[in-house]
Amino acid sequence: MERLVFALNGERHEISGLDPSMTLLEFIRTRTRFRGPKLGCGEGGCGACVVLLSRYDPVADQVNESSANSCLVLLGSINHCSVTTTEGLGNTRNGYHAIHQRIAGFHASQCGFCTPGMCMSLFSSLVNADKDANRPEPPNGFSKITVSEAEKAISGNLCRCTGYRPLIDTCKSFAADVDLEDLGLNTFWKKGNKEASVAKLPNYYVGVVCTFPEFLKSEIKSSINILKEHKLEITENGWHRPNTIDGLYALLNSPLISASNVKLVVGNTSSGVYQDQDLYDKYIDLRGIPELSVIKRSDDGVEIGSAVTISRVIEILRDDKKSTLVFNKLADHMNKVASQFVRNIASIGGNLILAQRNQFDSDIATILLAVGSSVTIHSGSERVTLSLEEFLEKPPIGNQTLLLSIFIPSWASYNNVLFETYRAAPRPLGNAVAYVNSSFLAQIAPDKETGEIFVDNICLAFGAYGTEHATRARKVEDILKGKKVTASVILEALRLLREMIVPRDGMSHPEYRVSLAVGFLFKYLSPLAKELPQPEKHVNVEGTNGTINGGKFDEPDKALRHGHDVSISSQQEIVLNSEYKPVGEPIKKAGAELQASGEAIYVDDIPSPNDCLYGAFVYSSKPLAHVKEINFKSSLASKKVISYVSAKDIPKGGKNIGLEFMSGSEPLFADSLAEYAGQPLGVVIAETQRYANMAAKQAVVDYSMDNLEPPILTTEDAVQHQSYFEVPPMFYPKQVGDFTKGMAEADQTIESAEVKLASQYYFYMETQTALAVPDEDNCMTVYTSSQCPEMAQSHIAMCLGIPFNNVRVITRRVGGGFGGKAFRAFMVSNACAVAAHKLRRPVRMYLDRKTDMIMIGGRHPMKVYYTVGFKSDGKVTALHLDLRMNGGISPDISPLLPGAVIAALKKYNWGNLSFDIKLCKTNNTSKSAMRGPGDVQGSFIAEAIIEHVASVLSVDTNVVRRKNLHDHESLRVFFGDQVAGEAPTYTLPSIFDSLASTPSYEARADTVKNFNRVNKWKKRGISCVPITYKVSVRPTPGRISVLNDGSIIVEVGGIEIGQGLWTKVKQMASYSLKELWENETEKLLEKIRVIQADSFSLIQGGITGGSTTSESSCEAVRLACSILVERLKPLKDKILAENGVVSWEALIGQAAMQNFNLSASSFWVPEQSTSAYINYGAALSEVEIDLFTGATTILRSDLMYDCGKSLNPAVDLGQVEGGFIQGVGFFMYEEYLTNSDGLAISDSTWNYKIPTVDTIPKEFNVEFLNNPHNKNRVLSSKASGEPPLLLASSVHCAMREAIRAARTEFSSSGSGGSALTFQMNVPTTMPMVKELCGLDIVEKYLESLA
């Protein structure tokens, strides 16, 4: 390709000398002024980089728009395309788009890092819906999109902050069939007062954004003839686009290509699955070959070219006028493959090639196999048509074999065809690889007289269970053919299938996968067996293309009947407080539109200085080993290495330090001894981040284990070797009462029961990043995404051996932190600083997702043994815990965790409480603070114990919970008078009773019992969980400065990490200055700007964490404002007396002329006696589990939370919902797995699944308690950032109730324990749910019938 021409946000770009391996995202972010698309994963798994990609068909004069992952799309593939980013929709200068404004108005952006991608996914959905001429015209202000479609518009996008509910409301606000009054809290109308109207929403106009500029259309039209006559020339240019198959082979066989590292591409989505291990210098784009994009329909089916995108295949299968049952079900299943923006660029042929060559767990291969699809390939000089089964069984093909097309039979001419597809995956709507996928097609023969059904022919295809590729279960097919379907025949088939489905060694959850396959086949065949009792189903055999449709129990709550198809609903009950206006008002988050439009600047958005270099870590893959030597492979990527920085490059006088805190330290780089897998060994320096990342993969580390003991990786190892960190006495919690005496009072006891909690990764959307710029006089300026710039400054200075005042650290905003950007961020900023110091050039690092997941650590894993004594009525008399925490290699914040665990555990009155806590030192990545550190584990441990007691007594768990809640006297005993506070502030009993002691709850509980009675294969559970959460406010600085024009600058020690700190601070400053400008607080609010944290400007900023930084910062600002008010009030009164009126500008002008100090600083130090307090809340959750798959649907969650008099209810609501959903991830989804060396293997979006829009509660309700004044709190407010995460344990507890119902139904002891009593660890993923319900319940059920 001589030159590349395309449009970006309407601007023409022409590029020569293209780097063929550059992605569209890299070009946008490094070669243009646009920064909206973000790099979140580089795998197509998060949606942060989504753009709109538009192509023009000059023949049809038609523009086709689709969302696309710019992190995967190669720049060379967009010739004559138009790209639109979120900046192209609207911006500060030209006005925001309705999407930006509604995102802000519905409070749908917190940290904001994911927001631009959300905007573009939604915009793509709107554009394509509005182009559909078959849809009715919507009313003004709406799109043609439906509510159902709107809810799925962002199904592939990840958000770690919001909990998705406000994002869904934003999407739904564009749908003409929405009931606006059902949408959540927003700034457009007041909730529930019938004011909802589209006229109050920012107006949405179709066609306002030009997605394809006219100049590019003209260029394309004028170049059509030239392109037709163009013949491929083989040049040294790295990007090639042959237009014939012969041209492709001429290329492949040319000396220039054969000697190169070559990659054949269509959408390049394979690099999201299998990360490139080296650079490619030649790319061949197959989309220029017309034959690979063919679509040929016939009576027998459809032939589809291999380069056709999966999205287009879905359209073809659905749009066919002769669309059949088979085609429709194939399309439905394909719609759950990856996400919309991946399907838009991924080709169907590429998917099958990955399945054939790389053993990729393809759903498409499995479902096409069952319907008898075939493929045509070009190999050598001949074309061959093979069945898909033959193709998959061939040895892995190379570049010389080309997949031309796929033929999919329609089965339109066959009668009585029964076709179904199945998949079990962590996410219902896709964007997750299946544990097992399957597809079954049978030709059946109903006996009209008897109603019995015979199988004439059948194909059973299975994949993803740990096999090389999708396979047919031919032996099972053989025993079914020609037989009448009966329970005994099904049982015989299932037993044989269990023998045939054998996952390969090392596959996770092998027994579960086998059980899935068995369950799927049973679901498929059971409706055909006449004698099977099926109260939930009816059989209906239709004629041509007949399918057997299963009805089901008509549930009392119709809204819950259809699972993932039901529209998500929500309610927010919030009492607004106008006493301190504008404090207490639900104003929108400061900068929300900036975040949506992509104009908000994060560290990696700062333009690179001249001569900037980039770094990537080389880390250890061994947990304890001598590092003898580090070399680099001979590769294209290795040639990009400019320098390598290691411990040897720490300056003289500096310290090799990554973290120094409390009683321990951790080195920045391993010198000669690596102590854990994932430990930094050094940093590779290159000219771009991509080159640095790729070069780091070329490192070959020579290890030696001579004279070393085996590594300590588990708490069991640590106990055996007595490997512990010391917990200073001041941090060790106090025991309560006399455990021995309490046990003597007990009627019953439980001895040494066990519960385990695994780790959790932060998964902030913005990975760790820093930019270090050398300055004059041996100084260094470092921009870092940090929750504590003050400590970053001291660590960098210690590393470089220079005074603190030689290091300036700046943090504007953080793209999600959750504790992971506190101490764990120092490694990155320190490494950048050392490299910049060595090379005397700016150095920046932006960790790729895999490195971040491996190196940074996460939540503390814990193992607990408990002994508890209790009365027959459920009152606990004594509890003892043996608690073992895995702290990793360094103390970090671990010594603080015992206190947090026990504080959260103390939500119940245990009578007498004792514990033995061991903080284990292991050869793992250091575990650090993660949202609710220690508290979330302690609160869950308490619930596990209470549930165990209830199961032993066979009583309702909520009865035991209520009986063991504190009264105020026992609360004082357990927490102390100062922390417990006054009796009116203890709100937990009333909160719990309002959820779990009402007729409404009793009715719901009865409904759950009735549902479980009549449904065999689905079970429900309901549970209410109370929480306490102790927090402490900390000393914090604040400063306010009024400029000569009256505009205001505010500085605080806290960092804006998405928690709305800046917003609350602005509100507080406006309120606190009202004495200087009465009745104009709204105008004051508009004049205030909160600015970035700068270690040279405001010192003693401390750590942003612990949920109290917002209120502490607000109080510091209030004090600073009071100083300014006291200073200016006399002047104001004087002007007022003289003129009768005084404006803000006049007051400030006079003050400036009279040399008043218009800046005031404060340092708020809270009263020791009232610095700590307790937050209260409760959650009632109802779930439904699928006994075939273990999948859990959260039907409803009702959250009630006491956050005092909220400083901003909209911000606090976002914290409650977002924290809850992050907790759902911890308890249900996020499996943080390591290999035998302790190296994280859950290291990508492919194998680590945080919650998505399709996994949140179907009904999600939040109520804030209306609280009285509390003189000890900041304007009577309380924390909201971390405590709500603990409420998610209600989902886990509801799952336990559902599993109990399943175990009772099948009299199963599952994986151990009785039907009612069993150990249920965290997280309880789909495999664990299924295992606890029983992996063989289908066979047991059929055997019971015999």
Side-chain angles (χ1 to χ4, degrees):
M1 184 183 298
E2 298 301 321
R3 65 188 183 99
L4 176 69
V5 176
F6 62 96
L8 176 59
N9 293 331
E11 300 173 4
R12 187 179 187 278
H13 287 263
E14 182 173 332
I15 300 171
S16 299
L18 170 72
D19 175 354
S21 60
M22 178 179 281
T23 64
L24 174 58
L25 179 64
E26 183 183 359
F27 174 82
I28 292 172
R29 294 188 56 78
T30 62
R31 304 289 181 88
T32 79
R33 68 181 187 279
F34 301 113
R35 296 290 186 275
K38 305 286 191 255
L39 179 61
C41 66
E43 301 163 344
C46 76
C49 69
V50 169
V51 299
L52 188 77
L53 191 60
S54 304
R55 303 179 191 277
Y56 177 62
D57 181 350
V59 177
D61 191 24
Q62 189 174 22
V63 176
N64 296 308
E65 296 103 340
S66 61
S67 56
N69 290 92
S70 60
C71 73
L72 298 179
V73 172
L74 291 167
L75 188 62
S77 69
I78 66 164
N79 192 37
H80 286 163
C81 292
S82 177
V83 178
T84 308
T85 72
T86 189
E87 294 100 325
L89 306 187
N91 49 62
T92 310
R93 179 173 296 181
N94 301 322
Y96 295 113
H97 191 275
I99 290 176
H100 301 151
Q101 294 171 310
R102 295 191 193 184
I103 285 265
F106 279 100
H107 312 291
S109 182
Q110 289 187 24
C111 89
F113 198 82
C114 70
T115 312
M118 297 280 182
C119 291
M120 295 315 298
S121 287
L122 173 56
F123 181 68
S124 173
S125 296
L126 299 181
V127 166
N128 282 289
D130 290 331
K131 285 174 59 177
D132 189 345
N134 295 320
R135 298 181 183 226
E137 287 299 317
N140 288 337
F142 288 112
S143 164
K144 293 181 180 179
I145 200 170
T146 65
V147 164
S148 176
E149 292 167 335
E151 288 185 339
K152 296 180 177 71
I154 56 167
S155 62
N157 295 72
L158 302 186
C159 174
R160 196 55 147 165
C161 297
T162 64
Y164 298 103
R165 194 276 312 160
L167 285 161
I168 295 170
D169 281 352
T170 302
C171 296
K172 286 160 65 173
S173 76
F174 289 92
D177 59 338
V178 70
D179 185 343
L180 291 174
E181 291 179 4
D182 288 343
L183 301 182
L185 184 69
N186 62 75
T187 61
F188 308 118
W189 58 76
K190 291 182 180 179
K191 180 81 171 168
N193 64 356
K194 309 299 181 184
E195 290 185 2
S197 164
V198 70
K200 296 191 175 185
L201 288 170
N203 213 339
Y204 169 67
Y205 299 99
V206 177
V208 168
V209 178
C210 175
T211 60
F212 209 98
E214 290 298 324
F215 72 79
L216 193 56
K217 289 182 181 178
S218 299
E219 285 194 47
I220 293 171
K221 289 175 181 176
S222 64
S223 64
I224 289 177
N225 293 331
I226 298 173
L227 290 173
K228 284 180 179 177
E229 296 170 5
H230 175 73
K231 292 187 177 180
L232 181 73
E233 294 180 11
I234 302 172
T235 68
E236 294 188 7
N237 190 301
W239 189 270
H240 302 276
R241 186 181 167 106
N243 50 23
T244 65
I245 292 175
D246 290 341
L248 168 65
Y249 280 100
L251 253 179
L252 290 172
N253 295 323
S254 69
L256 188 66
I257 296 292
S258 58
S260 303
N261 203 1
V262 181
K263 187 174 187 180
L264 275 61
V265 294
V266 174
N268 195 44
T269 52
S270 64
S271 64
V273 189
Y274 304 102
Q275 294 282 309
D276 292 341
Q277 297 303 305
D278 193 8
L279 296 172
Y280 291 92
D281 53 359
K282 302 291 181 186
Y283 286 80
I284 301 178
D285 184 352
L286 300 177
R287 291 171 309 132
I289 304 173
E291 193 170 344
L292 303 187
S293 298
V294 68
I295 298 166
K296 294 180 181 176
R297 290 184 172 91
S298 67
D299 291 339
D300 296 328
V302 60
E303 182 182 3
I304 299 173
S306 60
V308 174
T309 66
I310 296 172
S311 290
R312 181 71 183 117
V313 173
I314 293 170
E315 290 177 9
I316 293 163
L317 295 174
R318 284 181 174 161
D319 291 349
D320 195 313
K321 291 178 182 177
K322 296 181 180 179
S323 190
T324 63
L325 164 81
V326 169
F327 278 6
N328 281 323
K329 286 188 178 291
L330 287 174
D332 288 345
H333 193 112
M334 287 185 189
N335 216 33
K336 295 178 182 177
V337 172
S339 56
Q340 183 66 53
F341 38 76
V342 172
R343 294 192 295 268
N344 288 340
I345 57 174
S347 66
I348 185 170
N351 185 283
L352 295 179
I353 289 291
L354 287 183
Q356 202 276 344
R357 183 189 294 166
N358 300 83
Q359 299 182 16
F360 174 64
D361 292 326
S362 165
D363 278 67
I364 291 177
T366 304
I367 61 177
L368 293 186
L369 178 61
V371 299
S373 300
S374 59
V375 300
T376 300
I377 62 174
H378 191 290
S379 183
S381 59
E382 61 178 1
R383 296 184 179 212
V384 181
T385 297
L386 304 169
S387 70
L388 181 57
E389 185 176 25
E390 292 171 329
F391 173 71
L392 294 172
E393 289 175 349
K394 285 174 65 70
I397 62 175
N399 285 348
Q400 290 290 332
T401 299
L402 181 65
L403 175 59
L404 299 176
S405 63
I406 302 96
F407 178 76
I408 307 173
S410 65
W411 292 85
S413 59
Y414 294 85
N415 290 332
N416 294 327
V417 171
L418 176 61
F419 178 60
E420 290 291 349
T421 72
Y422 303 91
R423 78 190 308 264
R427 293 172 179 157
L429 292 181
N431 204 20
V433 173
Y435 290 109
V436 169
N437 52 51
S438 58
S439 182
F440 311 137
L441 186 146
Q443 293 171 269
I444 56 177
D447 187 310
K448 293 182 180 179
E449 293 183 4
T450 65
E452 294 169 332
I453 295 175
F454 292 80
V455 176
D456 284 347
N457 204 356
I458 191 166
C459 178
L460 307 174
F462 296 89
Y465 62 83
T467 177
E468 289 185 3
H469 51 74
T471 58
R472 288 178 60 177
R474 288 189 176 275
K475 291 182 180 179
V476 181
E477 294 170 6
D478 290 343
I479 67 166
L480 290 170
K481 286 176 186 175
K483 288 187 179 176
K484 178 176 70 176
V485 182
T486 64
S488 60
V489 168
I490 293 174
L491 180 59
E492 181 186 5
L494 298 184
R495 285 172 174 166
L496 180 58
L497 180 64
R498 188 173 282 276
E499 295 174 8
M500 295 184 63
I501 301 293
V502 182
R504 61 175 175 267
D505 290 343
M507 199 70 181
S508 64
H509 313 298
E511 297 90 352
Y512 167 66
R513 294 173 191 266
V514 174
S515 180
L516 284 175
V518 168
F520 288 156
L521 186 55
F522 173 75
K523 283 181 73 174
Y524 179 71
L525 293 174
S526 61
L528 307 181
K530 183 182 177 183
E531 84 275 23
L532 279 180
Q534 294 180 53
E536 302 155 60
K537 299 177 181 177
H538 66 269
V539 175
N540 175 29
V541 181
E542 300 175 356
T544 303
N545 285 318
T547 178
I548 294 179
N549 297 315
K552 62 180 291 186
F553 168 66
D554 189 14
E555 299 151 15
D557 192 345
K558 187 177 180 182
L560 303 178
R561 191 188 325 166
H562 299 295
H564 298 286
D565 294 329
V566 62
S567 179
I568 292 169
S569 63
S570 67
Q571 289 184 12
Q572 300 85 40
E573 297 294 332
I574 294 166
V575 177
L576 302 182
N577 171 30
S578 59
E579 185 176 355
Y580 308 113
K581 288 182 69 172
V583 173
E585 295 190 330
I587 69 170
K588 65 186 175 186
K589 183 180 183 294
E593 289 99 340
L594 280 177
Q595 292 172 179
S597 67
E599 296 168 286
I601 301 297
Y602 300 82
V603 172
D604 198 52
D605 297 331
I606 299 169
S608 294
N610 288 338
D611 296 325
C612 188
L613 297 172
Y614 298 76
F617 282 112
V618 173
Y619 51 80
S620 171
S621 60
K622 301 294 181 184
L624 187 60
H626 296 294
V627 179
K628 295 172 65 179
E629 193 177 18
I630 299 176
N631 294 301
F632 290 87
K633 301 172 189 171
S634 176
S635 64
L636 290 174
S638 295
K639 295 175 183 177
K640 303 295 184 180
V641 176
I642 289 175
S643 183
Y644 181 73
V645 179
S646 67
K648 298 181 178 65
D649 297 300
I650 302 290
K652 185 178 181 181
K655 296 167 67 175
N656 180 16
I657 184 168
L659 171 63
E660 189 168 271
F661 182 68
M662 293 177 60
S663 57
S665 64
E666 185 177 342
L668 173 58
F669 300 121
D671 195 350
S672 58
L673 180 68
E675 295 186 277
Y676 63 92
Q679 183 172 12
L681 304 178
V683 173
V684 172
I685 304 295
E687 288 186 348
T688 71
Q689 190 65 64
R690 177 166 51 89
Y691 288 166
N693 292 346
M694 196 64 76
K697 295 179 183 180
Q698 312 308 310
V700 179
V701 184
D702 187 8
Y703 299 101
S704 168
M705 282 71 170
D706 293 346
N707 302 316
L708 291 175
E709 294 290 326
I712 296 169
L713 296 175
T714 64
T715 54
E716 292 85 353
D717 293 341
V719 170
Q720 182 181 344
H721 292 88
Q722 298 292 292
S723 176
Y724 305 124
F725 294 117
E726 181 183 353
V727 180
M730 64 182 293
F731 296 131
Y732 200 88
K734 290 182 173 59
Q735 312 204 23
V736 181
D738 185 334
F739 171 72
T740 304
K741 181 180 176 183
M743 289 297 283
E745 297 171 356
D747 297 330
Q748 296 189 53
T749 63
I750 297 169
E751 306 280 344
S752 299
E754 178 186 322
V755 64
K756 285 197 251 184
L757 300 97
S759 186
Q760 182 184 22
Y761 167 63
Y762 301 102
F763 217 106
Y764 28 60
M765 293 305 297
E766 172 203 46
T767 60
Q768 302 282 356
T769 180
L771 165 62
V773 184
D775 206 344
E776 64 180 25
D777 196 22
N778 202 27
C779 290
M780 187 74 67
T781 299
V782 180
Y783 302 87
T784 174
S785 184
S786 173
Q787 292 176 239
C788 38
E790 179 190 11
M791 288 185 67
Q793 176 192 41
S794 62
H795 277 74
I796 293 165
M798 287 188 286
C799 228
L800 299 181
I802 56 179
F804 289 12
N805 68 355
N806 280 31
V807 179
R808 183 184 186 188
V809 173
I810 297 172
T811 301
R812 180 174 296 184
R813 59 171 59 83
V814 172
F818 317 114
K821 300 278 180 69
F823 299 159
R824 306 317 298 168
F826 299 156
M827 281 191 291
V828 181
S829 52
N830 287 9
C832 277
V834 170
H837 184 275
K838 172 185 177 179
L839 300 168
R840 304 308 300 165
R841 290 173 66 176
V843 173
R844 75 189 314 163
M845 295 178 70
Y846 185 75
L847 299 196
D848 63 83
R849 183 60 68 179
K850 178 172 182 172
T851 301
D852 198 285
M853 296 187 77
I854 286 172
M855 282 182 48
I856 301 303
R859 200 180 291 284
H860 289 70
M862 297 185 187
K863 187 173 185 179
V864 186
Y865 296 96
Y866 58 87
T867 296
V868 61
F870 48 96
K871 296 285 191 179
S872 297
D873 63 355
K875 181 69 187 77
V876 175
T877 59
L879 172 65
H880 175 80
L881 292 184
D882 288 303
L883 177 58
R884 307 292 177 254
M885 304 184 198
N886 191 332
I889 196 63
S890 75
D892 200 284
I893 62 109
S894 296
L896 301 177
L897 254 70
V901 172
I902 298 304
L905 182 90
K906 286 179 180 178
K907 65 181 176 181
Y908 291 119
N909 179 2
W910 303 106
N912 302 273
L913 175 63
S914 68
F915 37 78
D916 176 58
I917 301 174
K918 294 287 190 296
L919 189 52
C920 300
K921 179 181 180 180
T922 62
N923 295 105
N924 291 295
T925 308
S926 288
K927 305 307 173 191
S928 191
M930 181 173 180
R931 199 174 193 172
D935 296 88
V936 65
Q937 293 99 325
S939 189
F940 170 76
I941 292 164
E943 294 308 323
I945 296 166
I946 289 292
E947 289 187 318
H948 198 164
V949 169
S951 67
V952 168
L953 295 173
S954 298
V955 298
D956 182 358
T957 309
N958 282 344
V959 172
V960 181
R961 287 190 177 103
R962 186 62 181 87
K963 188 170 286 291
N964 288 287
L965 285 182
H966 289 285
D967 57 26
H968 190 251
E969 288 305 309
S970 65
L971 188 77
R972 291 169 58 201
V973 171
F974 273 69
F975 285 95
D977 289 344
Q978 292 181 351
V979 177
E982 298 174 357
T985 66
Y986 179 48
T987 55
L988 186 58
S990 63
I991 290 174
F992 186 82
D993 288 346
S994 66
L995 288 177
S997 300
T998 64
S1000 172
Y1001 169 75
E1002 295 297 333
R1004 287 179 61 190
D1006 287 342
T1007 300
V1008 167
K1009 289 176 185 175
N1010 290 334
F1011 179 91
N1012 291 340
R1013 180 173 51 80
V1014 298
N1015 282 272
K1016 183 172 288 291
W1017 303 109
K1018 289 191 175 181
K1019 299 295 176 185
R1020 289 183 179 176
I1022 188 169
S1023 186
C1024 186
V1025 168
I1027 63 154
T1028 60
Y1029 196 103
K1030 178 185 169 186
V1031 298
S1032 297
V1033 289
R1034 296 187 301 275
T1036 309
R1039 178 187 294 143
I1040 180 165
S1041 304
V1042 184
L1043 305 185
N1044 287 348
D1045 66 346
S1047 59
I1048 301 166
I1049 287 174
V1050 178
E1051 296 173 80
V1052 291
I1055 306 299
E1056 176 60 61
I1057 56 177
Q1059 83 282 46
L1061 182 149
W1062 282 3
T1063 312
K1064 290 181 176 180
V1065 163
K1066 286 182 66 173
Q1067 289 173 277
M1068 181 62 86
S1070 178
Y1071 162 73
S1072 303
L1073 293 173
K1074 67 178 182 179
E1075 282 189 63
L1076 298 178
W1077 201 15
E1078 287 98 341
N1079 305 319
E1080 296 290 354
T1081 53
E1082 294 299 326
K1083 291 183 179 178
L1084 265 178
L1085 199 61
E1086 295 171 5
K1087 292 181 177 292
I1088 298 168
R1089 180 183 298 278
V1090 186
I1091 63 171
Q1092 63 194 16
D1094 185 335
S1095 62
F1096 277 9
S1097 179
L1098 197 68
I1099 65 168
Q1100 296 176 282
I1103 300 172
T1104 298
S1107 298
T1108 58
T1109 309
S1110 291
E1111 64 195 85
S1112 298
S1113 296
C1114 283
E1115 184 62 11
V1117 167
R1118 192 184 68 81
L1119 290 178
C1121 288
S1122 67
I1123 295 170
L1124 198 63
V1125 168
E1126 185 179 356
R1127 193 179 295 160
L1128 295 179
K1129 186 73 160 57
L1131 177 62
K1132 180 212 168 186
D1133 293 342
K1134 180 183 175 185
I1135 299 172
L1136 193 60
E1138 292 174 353
N1139 302 329
V1141 66
V1142 57
S1143 69
W1144 175 257
E1145 287 77 8
L1147 173 63
I1148 299 307
Q1150 281 292 320
M1153 286 178 63
Q1154 297 181 33
N1155 298 319
F1156 276 72
N1157 181 356
L1158 292 177
S1159 182
S1161 299
S1162 70
F1163 187 72
W1164 177 59
V1165 180
E1167 291 285 338
Q1168 181 112 19
S1169 61
T1170 59
S1171 63
Y1173 64 90
I1174 306 174
N1175 293 272
Y1176 304 106
L1180 176 65
S1181 290
E1182 183 177 349
V1183 305
E1184 180 177 292
I1185 62 172
D1186 183 324
L1187 271 59
F1188 290 118
T1189 65
T1192 300
T1193 302
I1194 309 174
L1195 300 176
R1196 177 173 166 182
S1197 288
D1198 300 331
L1199 281 53
M1200 182 173 280
Y1201 186 66
D1202 175 4
C1203 62
K1205 289 188 179 296
S1206 171
L1207 297 175
N1208 183 318
V1211 167
D1212 288 334
L1213 174 67
Q1215 291 296 288
V1216 170
E1217 292 177 333
F1220 181 82
I1221 297 303
Q1222 194 171 64
V1224 166
F1226 176 56
F1227 287 109
M1228 288 180 63
Y1229 293 105
E1230 298 176 40
E1231 238 182 337
Y1232 193 65
L1233 303 176
T1234 59
N1235 65 13
S1236 58
D1237 285 326
L1239 185 73
I1241 53 175
S1242 297
D1243 58 4
S1244 71
T1245 57
W1246 282 91
N1247 49 37
Y1248 190 82
K1249 298 299 181 185
I1250 70 170
T1252 42
V1253 69
D1254 49 345
T1255 58
I1256 71 170
K1258 299 301 168 191
E1259 187 174 345
F1260 197 5
N1261 305 318
V1262 179
E1263 181 177 352
F1264 283 173
L1265 199 64
N1266 186 23
N1267 257 336
H1269 280 278
N1270 187 335
K1271 66 180 186 297
N1272 295 324
R1273 306 274 61 84
V1274 176
L1275 298 189
S1276 302
S1277 68
K1278 298 177 76 173
S1280 64
E1282 293 171 287
L1285 187 142
L1286 280 57
L1287 296 172
S1289 62
S1290 62
V1291 174
H1292 192 276
C1293 295
M1295 290 167 68
R1296 185 189 289 270
E1297 297 298 330
I1299 292 168
R1300 277 190 182 134
R1303 291 164 70 97
T1304 302
E1305 169 91 30
F1306 291 96
S1307 300
S1308 168
S1309 58
S1311 60
S1314 68
L1316 295 180
T1317 305
F1318 48 91
Q1319 183 176 334
M1320 190 169 157
N1321 297 328
V1322 175
T1324 303
T1325 57
M1326 287 173 62
M1328 186 183 292
V1329 171
K1330 174 67 173 165
E1331 186 176 327
L1332 289 170
C1333 293
L1335 295 172
D1336 57 354
I1337 55 175
V1338 169
E1339 294 101 313
K1340 282 185 175 180
Y1341 166 66
L1342 291 172
E1343 288 166 359
S1344 70
L1345 297 178

